[in-house]
């Protein structure tokens, strides 16, 4: 009975996430269509609202093709692993002060561990496909994700030394009077750019560069294999947007006594960050690999480290005088 309750609780989180992923794709196509002065999906269903269901059904009914020279187990397992890891992170996300699946003290470390494991699914897909394009794409993804995880970690250390806790609920409640995006605005901007690179989104979509690598690590995938990678990418977008809202925008807090509105406040803030993802994709050209690495190692890393030293010094002297 206890196991059934856990399964139902996790399902109550996963199903809304999958529905959000489906309609995020529709929102992206609609918003980009408006930005580029063209019509987005508007045929399937009223105003195109059934387009995500039609796309999912098309991928479900397509034939699964496994390349002859590929490693069959790795080829099939890679998208499943990537999709599973994109959902595991939601288990410790708080939707309100008491609305969460699991509340652990090391919430932030758990998210870092899960995001670090995601790269294994991408590397496995590139290696198992036995294709040069797929392998180059997976290597790019590994280098990119590892590099920007370092900068994300240093950016968040400045917040952690102020809060003194790795628990997401504690971090949100600490922002009751002022959100961290205001005093740490330079870090907030660097964090937004870093999560674009962490999720392989434009203009940092180098692992899937169509002009160079013909879709990169998932070039050999079709039908449900491609669908799982697609769901994992957009699921990671929503997860990182939620992560940003919790760390910098005060999570569900609105200084309101209507606690039932907490999940809706959180959802509205997440939608703002997701709009940023879409706006950047529609506006900026793709970076080169060397530009991407230079931005991380020569700009973000020194700046975030300097900010950590500045915050530590400020806290030390403030507490000392007090």
């Amino acid at each position: 009975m206890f196991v059934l309750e856990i399964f139902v609780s996790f399902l109550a989180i996963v199903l809304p996430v999958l529905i959000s992923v489906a309609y995020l794709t529709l929102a992206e196509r609609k918003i980009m269509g408006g930005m580029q002065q063209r019509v987005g999906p508007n045929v399937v269903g009223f105003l195109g609202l059934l387009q995500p269901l039609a796309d999912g059904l098309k991928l479900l009914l397509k034939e699964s093709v496994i390349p002859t020279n590929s490693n069959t187990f790795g080829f099939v397992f890679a998208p499943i692993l990537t999709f599973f890891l994109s959902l595991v992170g939601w288990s410790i996300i708080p939707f309100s002060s008491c609305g969460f699946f699991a509340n652990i003290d090391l919430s932030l470390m758990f998210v870092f561990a899960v995001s670090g494991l995601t790269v294994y699914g991408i590397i496995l897909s590139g290696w198992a496909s036995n294709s040069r394009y797929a392998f180059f794409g997976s290597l790019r993804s590994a280098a990119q994700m590892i590099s920007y995880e370092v900068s994300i970690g240093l950016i968040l250390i400045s917040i952690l030394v102020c809060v003194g806790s790795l628990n997401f609920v504690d971090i949100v409640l600490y922002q009751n009077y002022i959100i961290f995006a205001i005093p740490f605005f330079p870090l907030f901007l660097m964090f937004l750019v870093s999560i674009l690179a962490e999720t392989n989104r434009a203009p940092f979509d180098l692992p899937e560069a169509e002009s160079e690598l013909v879709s990169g690590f998932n070039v050999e995938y079709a039908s449900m294999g491609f669908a799982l990678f697609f769901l994992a990418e957009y699921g990671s977008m929503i997860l990182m947007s939620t992560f940003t809202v919790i760390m910098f925008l005060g999570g569900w807090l609105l200084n309101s006594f209507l606690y039932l509105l907490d999940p809706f406040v959180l959802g509205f803030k997440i939608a703002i960050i997701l709009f940023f993802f879409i706006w950047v994709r529609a506006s900026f050209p793709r970076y080169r690999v060397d530009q991407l690495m230079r931005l991380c190692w020569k700009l973000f890393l020194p700046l975030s480290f300097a900010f950590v030293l500045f915050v530590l010094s400020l806290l030390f002297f403030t507490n000392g005088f007090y």
Side-chain angles (χ1 to χ4, degrees), residues 159 162-164 169-178 180 253:
I159 293 177
C162 293
V163 179
V169 176
D170 294 340
I171 293 172
V172 171
L173 295 178
Y174 197 87
Q175 302 175 70
N176 192 33
Y177 297 105
I178 184 171
F180 283 130
L253 294 180

Side-chain angles (χ1 to χ4, degrees), residues 82 85-86 108-120 122 137-138 140-156 189-208 217 229 232-241 243-244 276-277 280 292-293 295-297 300:
T82 306
L85 291 174
S86 71
L108 186 61
M109 295 299 294
F110 184 85
V111 170
F112 269 105
V114 171
S115 64
L117 288 173
T118 305
V119 74
Y120 286 101
I122 295 176
S138 65
R140 277 188 180 184
S141 180
Q144 179 172 323
M145 294 176 75
I146 291 170
S147 298
Y148 278 87
E149 276 183 7
V150 175
S151 67
I152 288 176
L154 278 175
I155 288 169
L156 296 180
L189 294 181
M190 288 193 290
F191 190 82
L192 287 177
V193 176
S194 297
I195 62 172
L196 286 174
E198 179 71 13
T199 53
N200 296 331
R201 288 287 298 180
F204 307 125
D205 54 340
L206 296 167
E208 303 175 12
F217 62 88
F229 275 124
E233 177 184 343
Y234 280 81
S236 297
M237 276 177 57
I238 302 176
L239 180 62
M240 294 306 293
S241 299
F243 189 34
T244 306
F276 168 77
F277 273 90
V280 168
L292 179 70
M293 291 301 163
L295 181 67
C296 175
W297 295 105
F300 283 5

Side-chain angles (χ1 to χ4, degrees), residues 31-318:
I31 293 170
M32 289 183 65
M35 288 180 173
Q36 297 167 355
Q37 296 185 348
R38 57 182 175 81
V39 179
N42 64 344
V43 176
V44 184
F46 177 70
L47 297 178
L49 291 177
L50 298 181
Q51 186 66 50
L53 302 180
D55 293 339
L57 185 63
K58 179 195 71 172
L59 290 171
L60 181 64
L61 297 178
K62 275 190 171 184
E63 179 185 3
S64 295
V65 178
I66 299 177
T68 305
N69 295 326
S70 67
N71 182 291
T72 304
F73 174 78
F75 187 84
V76 173
F77 182 66
I80 298 174
L81 176 64
T82 306
F83 176 67
F84 174 75
L85 291 174
S86 71
L87 295 179
V88 168
W90 286 98
S91 60
I92 47 90
I93 295 296
F95 300 97
S96 65
S97 57
C98 57
F100 42 75
F101 179 77
N103 185 22
I104 59 177
D105 291 333
L106 298 178
S107 303
L108 186 61
M109 295 299 294
F110 184 85
V111 170
F112 269 105
V114 171
S115 64
L117 288 173
T118 305
V119 74
Y120 286 101
I122 295 176
I123 290 177
L124 182 61
S125 69
W127 172 79
S129 297
N130 198 23
S131 165
R132 288 185 178 87
Y133 294 118
F135 189 58
F136 287 154
S138 65
L139 291 180
R140 277 188 180 184
S141 180
Q144 179 172 323
M145 294 176 75
I146 291 170
S147 298
Y148 278 87
E149 276 183 7
V150 175
S151 67
I152 288 176
L154 278 175
I155 288 169
L156 296 180
I157 286 176
S158 298
I159 293 177
L160 298 182
V161 295
C162 293
V163 179
S165 173
L166 294 170
N167 187 285
F168 281 157
V169 176
D170 294 340
I171 293 172
V172 171
L173 295 178
Y174 197 87
Q175 302 175 70
N176 192 33
Y177 297 105
I178 184 171
I179 59 175
F180 283 130
I182 296 175
F184 295 139
F185 186 70
L187 293 182
F188 178 57
L189 294 181
M190 288 193 290
F191 190 82
L192 287 177
V193 176
S194 297
I195 62 172
L196 286 174
E198 179 71 13
T199 53
N200 296 331
R201 288 287 298 180
F204 307 125
D205 54 340
L206 296 167
E208 303 175 12
E210 292 87 356
S211 57
E212 308 160 26
L213 301 178
V214 202
S215 191
F217 62 88
N218 59 15
V219 64
E220 300 290 348
Y221 284 89
S223 69
M224 285 309 296
F226 174 79
L228 290 176
F229 275 124
F230 191 79
L231 290 170
E233 177 184 343
Y234 280 81
S236 297
M237 276 177 57
I238 302 176
L239 180 62
M240 294 306 293
S241 299
T242 309
F243 189 34
T244 306
V245 170
I246 289 173
M247 299 303 297
F248 286 96
L249 299 179
W252 60 84
L253 294 180
L254 192 62
N255 291 326
S256 171
F257 295 102
L258 298 175
Y259 298 110
L260 293 176
L261 295 179
D262 288 350
F264 298 99
V265 172
L266 181 67
F268 176 73
K269 293 179 180 179
I270 293 170
I272 294 175
I273 304 298
L274 289 173
F275 178 80
F276 168 77
F277 273 90
I278 299 170
W279 169 68
V280 168
R281 180 182 178 184
S283 304
F284 293 97
R286 181 182 294 126
Y287 264 44
R288 294 198 317 264
V289 180
D290 60 315
Q291 292 174 328
L292 179 70
M293 291 301 163
R294 188 185 306 120
L295 181 67
C296 175
W297 295 105
K298 293 187 177 181
L299 184 62
F300 283 5
L301 196 62
L303 284 178
S304 57
F305 187 66
F307 215 101
V308 170
L309 295 178
F310 171 73
V311 172
L312 286 173
S313 304
L314 195 62
L315 290 174
F316 175 77
F317 284 109
T318 305

